[in-house]
Amino acid sequence: MPTDKPSLLPVTNQTNEKHSSRPTYHLSVKTYDVIDPDYGRAGPSTRHAKSHLKGLLSLGAVTSVALVVLASSSDTACLSSAISRLPSTSSVSSVVRWATGYDSSVHELRYQDEACRHRPQETSSEIDDWIDEERDISHRAILDNIGPRAGAIPGLVIASPSKSHPDYFYSWTRDSALTFSTIFDRFLPGPNSTAYAHGDPSLEPLIREYIHAQGNLQLLSNPSGTFLDGGLGEPKFEVDGTAFHNSWGRPQRDGPPLRAMVVSQYAEYLLDRKEPFDSTYINENIYNPKTVMAKGSILKSDLEYTAHNWHRNSFDLWEEINGLHFFTLLASRVALERGAALATRLSDPGAASFYTQEANAITDRLELFWSPDRNFISATIDAPRFGRSGLDSALILAFLHAGEQGDGVWGIAGERALSTLISYVDSFKNGLYKINDVPGDGWNGAIAVGRYSEDVYNGDGMSLANPWYLCTFGVAEMIFRIAIHFEKVDQIPITPISLHFWQNVYPSAKSGDVYQRGDGVYEHVLEKLAGWADGFLLIGKSFEGPEGSFTEQFSRLDGTPTGAKKLTWSYASFIEATNGRNEYRHISALKRD
């Protein structure tokens, strides 16, 4: 941000404009090297210039603005491209695209941003335009990674177009389910969503293609087994819908419950819609109550697999550790709870009882993951050669996808979740990533985060690991959803377990405090919380790739995008984080009117 807040001063004679009875102003943007020729798009300074232009043009006394951009970069084409992204308006009467020998004595509204690529200092409102643009980019990128557009069969999601260094040109059951969870959110947004107020019905054929493709994958014999004997735990497949036969970390038991969560959501929607043939479609493609595991009953097959196998060890979502994983169990519990509710609606009481029984057993087992002496949840147990602290972004992802609101013990806003979140974020401090070493408040106190602090996977081998977009966006989303919870309940209780989390945003917090709506502190704490979440989004904004693309990782040294290109999960995580932001702002506005 500018070090000084300048006043608006008229320019008298430095442009070739016709004189007016009201003044013309210069907006001078000194970009240094932040308009990057390698990216060929507007840098953060130009985005700030856009905001300043809007402000100038809103003043009734201003008739025109002459924009002068001073840059140390010599790439004129890049600079022209950057300026072309500024708002088109007749009030901007002239633009000096390249200023050499500019008379520095001219009065101007000066904006300087010397290191904004590594330290964006933008307010919540100033990133709105970027978020809107990036949401559209991310949605298109996700669709480009599904089916024939991506070189796969209809309904299959590729993890990334990368076919070497690294080769991610496969379809993972887990990634696909999380991707279609995002698609379903756009197809039928929730009551608090403001992003797609009327939904996007054009996505329904794609959802059905996904269900059809996944049903076929269930039937494939593969290295994990057959349809009736463990095959549903196979983690990934070839993009042509055939089995992957090379060595891998298998089985992975998170795929079936995550897929069940998405498909059950669609089944509930169809039951509520009550259109002709919806019940027939459910019976023939999703859930047949007269069977246990059978072709054409994709949801019940996943539920049966989950109910019978959740207690067995498998590989984690990073495909590295064989043990019992919090992410897998929390997803399994929610899938079985939702499955029980659907089974009841479909007159399958025996299945509903069984799924409820197993969900309750998972709840009992979850207690083993809590470490009261360390005040956080461990990502994995029953893994003798684990060799890590247990703090892992898989915990954050578990809460996002299966930590339901209202669950005081294992919910996304429970005291254990809050303590685990801040412990995870803290594990990436103390110089682990150079890009986090910024002066002052950095990105509103946020930092770039990766999978886990002991990680050595660099995106194409083993050395020094990097931050991940999906992990960083995941923290943003979790904070927004925590804020949503506390906006709804009208108070914030500070417990010994959650104290460190709240002190991160409000240092004066003390155990036993209870902040109530209307006391001033309550509103201040939630505003700080939302600003902190925005900081994690700003990190993605600072280090996005060409044309708003997201890879898998970005360099710990300078933020350069690295790893698998155009990673589907990165785009989905961005959309989910901004869904959380939109919902928080919507609820906050309603509550505070």
Side-chain angles (χ1 to χ4, degrees), residues 102-159:
Y102 179 65
D103 185 353
S104 61
S105 66
V106 173
H107 295 303
E108 56 188 282
L109 175 63
R110 181 178 296 276
Y111 182 80
Q112 296 187 5
D113 192 355
E114 298 193 21
C116 62
R117 181 161 179 78
H118 295 288
R119 191 168 182 258
Q121 294 281 348
E122 296 169 279
T123 65
S124 175
S125 61
E126 288 174 327
I127 66 171
D128 288 347
D129 288 347
W130 172 75
I131 286 176
D132 290 343
E133 179 184 8
E134 188 59 48
R135 281 174 68 88
D136 289 338
I137 291 171
S138 295
H139 179 65
R140 290 194 301 270
I142 288 173
L143 297 183
D144 286 343
N145 281 357
I146 301 176
R149 289 194 200 182
I153 65 171
L156 279 196
V157 180
I158 64 166

Side-chain angles (χ1 to χ4, degrees), residues 51-377:
S51 298
H52 279 276
L53 273 174
K54 286 182 176 179
L56 280 174
L57 298 174
S58 68
L59 298 175
V62 176
T63 56
S64 60
V65 176
L67 176 67
V68 178
V69 178
L70 307 174
S72 59
S73 169
S74 60
D75 192 315
T76 307
C78 172
L79 186 61
S80 298
S81 173
I83 293 177
S84 70
R85 297 166 64 87
L86 292 170
S88 175
T89 169
S90 59
S91 296
V92 181
S93 58
S94 68
V95 173
V96 181
R97 293 183 180 273
W98 191 251
T100 57
Y102 179 65
D103 185 353
S104 61
S105 66
V106 173
H107 295 303
E108 56 188 282
L109 175 63
R110 181 178 296 276
Y111 182 80
Q112 296 187 5
D113 192 355
E114 298 193 21
C116 62
R117 181 161 179 78
H118 295 288
R119 191 168 182 258
Q121 294 281 348
E122 296 169 279
T123 65
S124 175
S125 61
E126 288 174 327
I127 66 171
D128 288 347
D129 288 347
W130 172 75
I131 286 176
D132 290 343
E133 179 184 8
E134 188 59 48
R135 281 174 68 88
D136 289 338
I137 291 171
S138 295
H139 179 65
R140 290 194 301 270
I142 288 173
L143 297 183
D144 286 343
N145 281 357
I146 301 176
R149 289 194 200 182
I153 65 171
L156 279 196
V157 180
I158 64 166
S160 162
S162 290
K163 297 182 180 180
S164 63
H165 305 291
D167 183 3
Y168 278 27
F169 195 62
Y170 299 97
S171 186
W172 271 263
T173 303
R174 172 186 53 252
D175 297 31
S176 300
L178 297 177
T179 298
F180 268 87
S181 177
T182 301
I183 289 173
F184 196 87
D185 286 345
R186 181 161 179 151
F187 166 66
L188 190 70
N192 295 317
S193 176
T194 58
Y196 311 106
H198 305 292
D200 186 352
S202 69
L203 293 171
E204 187 163 15
L206 189 63
I207 293 170
R208 294 200 173 194
E209 285 181 353
Y210 165 74
I211 291 173
H212 178 74
Q214 294 298 308
N216 288 337
L217 293 183
Q218 283 185 336
L219 302 175
L220 280 179
S221 295
N222 56 63
S224 292
T226 66
F227 173 57
L228 297 175
D229 185 22
L232 271 64
E234 181 67 6
K236 74 175 186 177
F237 298 86
E238 302 285 354
V239 299
D240 63 359
T242 59
F244 174 77
H245 287 285
N246 293 340
S247 60
W248 205 251
R250 55 170 65 93
Q252 295 175 29
R253 305 191 198 279
D254 54 10
L258 291 170
R259 182 167 57 198
M261 290 165 65
V262 176
V263 178
S264 64
Q265 190 177 12
Y266 182 57
E268 294 279 5
Y269 162 73
L270 294 179
L271 289 173
D272 292 340
R273 186 169 69 176
K274 297 179 181 179
E275 292 288 342
F277 309 115
D278 278 349
S279 294
T280 300
Y281 179 83
I282 292 173
N283 189 69
E284 294 180 351
N285 297 276
I286 294 179
Y287 192 108
N288 185 342
K290 296 180 180 179
T291 66
V292 178
M293 292 183 68
K295 178 181 179 180
S297 191
I298 177 177
L299 174 55
K300 190 166 187 182
S301 297
D302 277 340
L303 292 170
E304 290 292 323
Y305 176 88
T306 300
H308 285 93
N309 291 280
W310 66 263
H311 60 283
R312 301 174 63 189
N313 283 11
S314 63
F315 279 84
D316 68 324
L317 80 168
W318 306 129
E319 309 181 310
E320 296 173 337
I321 296 175
N322 193 4
L324 207 58
H325 312 290
F326 184 78
F327 177 88
T328 304
L329 264 64
L330 203 64
S332 297
R333 186 183 74 152
V334 170
L336 291 170
E337 289 173 343
R338 295 181 184 177
L342 184 65
T344 299
R345 292 190 72 177
L346 295 174
S347 302
D348 194 5
S353 177
F354 177 50
Y355 301 153
T356 299
Q357 168 192 307
E358 295 305 307
N360 291 338
I362 293 174
T363 300
D364 293 339
R365 187 69 61 89
L366 288 173
E367 195 65 35
L368 299 177
F369 291 85
W370 172 244
S371 301
D373 56 328
R374 298 186 295 174
N375 212 32
F376 62 77
I377 299 165

Side-chain angles (χ1 to χ4, degrees), residues 494-572:
I494 312 299
T495 71
I497 291 176
S498 66
L499 176 61
H500 179 45
F501 173 86
W502 292 115
Q503 285 181 332
N504 187 72
V505 294
Y506 186 58
S508 299
K510 299 185 300 294
S511 180
D513 287 350
V514 179
Y515 309 132
Q516 304 276 358
R517 182 177 297 280
D519 65 9
V521 176
Y522 171 90
E523 287 78 9
H524 171 73
V525 169
L526 287 182
E527 287 171 3
K528 292 287 289 183
L529 200 60
W532 188 34
D534 267 352
F536 288 94
L537 290 176
L538 285 170
I539 292 171
K541 181 176 183 288
S542 300
F543 304 119
E544 63 184 347
E547 300 178 350
S549 63
F550 293 129
T551 54
E552 175 187 68
Q553 307 176 32
F554 49 103
S555 169
R556 63 193 287 152
L557 300 177
D558 61 10
T560 302
T562 188
K565 63 183 180 182
K566 298 182 177 180
L567 190 76
T568 311
W569 197 352
S570 293
Y571 292 114

